[in-house]
Amino acid sequence: MFRGKFKWMLLFFILALLSIGTVITRSESFSAKLLIEAINNANDIWLVVAIIGMLGNIFFEGLALSVLIKALVQRDKNQKIKSHGFLYSAADIYFSAITPSASGGQPASAFFMCKDGLTVAETAFILMINLLFYTASLIIIGIGGFLLCPSIFMELDSISKLFIILGTLVITGLCIFFILILQRENWVRIISNSIFKFIHKIWPRFNNEKYTLRLENSIVQYRNCAKLVMSRRGPMTLAFLFNLLQRLMLLSTPLCVYLAFGGSVSYLYKVISAQALVLVGVYSMPIPGGMGVADYLLIDGLDTIPDIYSPANLELISRGISFYSCIIIAFIVVVIGLLSYSNKNSSK
């Protein structure tokens, strides 16, 4: 599984060091002395809650995948369906973080799902539906965060605004693509094929036919997903709610760290709004884990909150728990999973 991924793992570590180094050396609000004092005086209960929120990020995606597997995979009555949702989620989170545009997350989940006896077609279908719910929940979080405190967006600098606008366009584009497939399937074909032909004219090496075939396969998959979602609303609603809870867990960590450092309850809505905009903004750049972009956006957002004396310090602790600690735990879970399947195969 890790074959061919070492270059991305190396890039991940380099970007992580650069991101943390940039926050420490280039941020005017960073203070090692204030950071040590804040950690020593922090409310331990809120820090524990922040860690629980980080674990909830893995846990709720795992629950969503387990619900989808039980609802969509048909087997004989005597044949039990295996489902290790926490492992699938950990694989998704870890490989999404170390590969550009989260390109390695779903294949990693599919690897373990196939090990549990699901077919390639079944895993592709389940992951496609989970991606739809992921996108929909992110749209809700983004809209909710903006409506909670619209002024935060206006107070951000031009670069942060650009990241958030680009991220919004990417997420909205995915949503529009799905809606058009349901309502105006031919529009998708006409627009996409026109774009492919234009690219082929200005860049002859672009394989127009290959991408046209991929588009057609995607249309068929999305159409089938939509029909299935509408036919099984109960478990689909539950899977969507678990996806939404996963996003809320991501929101909870900076919120809890803010409270742990003595933040005022009266500004909680601003912290929530800032983190919601961060989740949208990281989609603007195909960087592993959104590193650099997420750090920049969160510091800029926290800088708008009056009682935060060092946004950089709060950002370092928040990202340390919600992202870096999460990646370490996800990596450990994936390694344990690989060893477990290896031992099972060797004992047969």
Side-chain angles (χ1 to χ4, degrees), residues 24 29-40 310 313 316:
I24 292 174
S29 68
F30 174 77
S31 168
K33 182 180 179 181
L34 283 177
L35 180 61
I36 294 171
E37 289 180 0
I39 293 174
N40 289 334
S310 177
N313 288 351
L316 283 171

Side-chain angles (χ1 to χ4, degrees), residues 177-224:
F177 178 72
F178 176 60
I179 294 172
L180 284 177
I181 287 176
L182 295 181
Q183 303 294 330
R184 296 290 186 270
E185 189 175 303
N186 286 332
W187 288 16
V188 176
R189 288 191 179 92
I190 294 170
I191 295 172
S192 299
N193 288 329
S194 298
I195 294 173
F196 294 157
K197 289 178 181 177
F198 175 75
I199 295 174
H200 182 69
K201 282 184 180 180
I202 62 176
W203 186 33
R205 294 182 63 183
F206 180 78
N207 193 331
N208 186 20
E209 294 181 359
K210 182 179 75 173
Y211 284 94
T212 300
L213 181 60
R214 285 186 180 180
L215 171 68
E216 192 60 37
N217 291 335
S218 296
I219 288 174
V220 172
Q221 287 180 331
Y222 272 93
R223 189 200 311 135
N224 292 336

Side-chain angles (χ1 to χ4, degrees), residues 129-145:
I129 293 178
N130 198 57
L131 178 62
L132 294 177
F133 291 160
Y134 177 93
T135 305
S137 61
L138 196 56
I139 291 172
I140 291 174
I141 291 293
I143 294 173

Side-chain angles (χ1 to χ4, degrees), residues 93-104:
I93 290 171
Y94 175 72
F95 284 98
S96 291
I98 68 169
T99 54
S101 302
S103 57

Side-chain angles (χ1 to χ4, degrees), residues 9-37:
M9 293 169 69
L10 179 61
L11 178 61
F12 170 84
F13 285 117
I14 293 173
L15 288 175
L17 291 174
L18 288 174
S19 298
I20 296 172
T22 301
V23 171
I24 292 174
T25 59
R26 298 297 178 88
S27 177
E28 295 179 357
S29 68
F30 174 77
S31 168
K33 182 180 179 181
L34 283 177
L35 180 61
I36 294 171
E37 289 180 0

Side-chain angles (χ1 to χ4, degrees), residues 54-201:
M54 176 270 292
L55 293 173
N57 177 32
I58 308 176
F59 177 72
F60 282 112
E61 183 182 0
L63 279 181
L65 290 171
S66 294
V67 168
L68 290 174
I69 289 171
K70 291 178 181 178
L72 303 178
V73 177
Q74 302 297 322
R75 292 288 187 272
D76 296 334
K77 292 182 178 180
N78 297 328
Q79 189 176 4
K80 187 178 179 181
I81 301 173
K82 294 181 180 179
S83 177
H84 298 92
F86 194 80
L87 175 59
Y88 308 152
S89 175
D92 181 23
I93 290 171
Y94 175 72
F95 284 98
S96 291
I98 68 169
T99 54
S101 302
S103 57
Q106 288 199 334
S109 294
F111 172 84
F112 286 112
M113 291 165 74
C114 290
K115 286 287 186 181
D116 282 339
L118 276 72
T119 67
V120 173
E122 288 170 341
T123 58
F125 204 57
I126 289 166
L127 292 172
M128 179 69 72
I129 293 178
N130 198 57
L131 178 62
L132 294 177
F133 291 160
Y134 177 93
T135 305
S137 61
L138 196 56
I139 291 172
I140 291 174
I141 291 293
I143 294 173
F146 178 78
L147 294 177
L148 191 61
C149 185
S151 63
I152 279 219
F153 178 78
M154 303 308 299
E155 294 174 33
L156 298 175
D157 64 27
S158 299
I159 296 176
S160 294
K161 289 177 181 177
L162 178 61
F163 283 144
I164 293 168
I165 290 171
L166 289 176
T168 301
L169 290 175
V170 171
I171 298 169
T172 304
L174 290 172
C175 184
I176 291 174
F177 178 72
F178 176 60
I179 294 172
L180 284 177
I181 287 176
L182 295 181
Q183 303 294 330
R184 296 290 186 270
E185 189 175 303
N186 286 332
W187 288 16
V188 176
R189 288 191 179 92
I190 294 170
I191 295 172
S192 299
N193 288 329
S194 298
I195 294 173
F196 294 157
K197 289 178 181 177
F198 175 75
I199 295 174
H200 182 69
K201 282 184 180 180

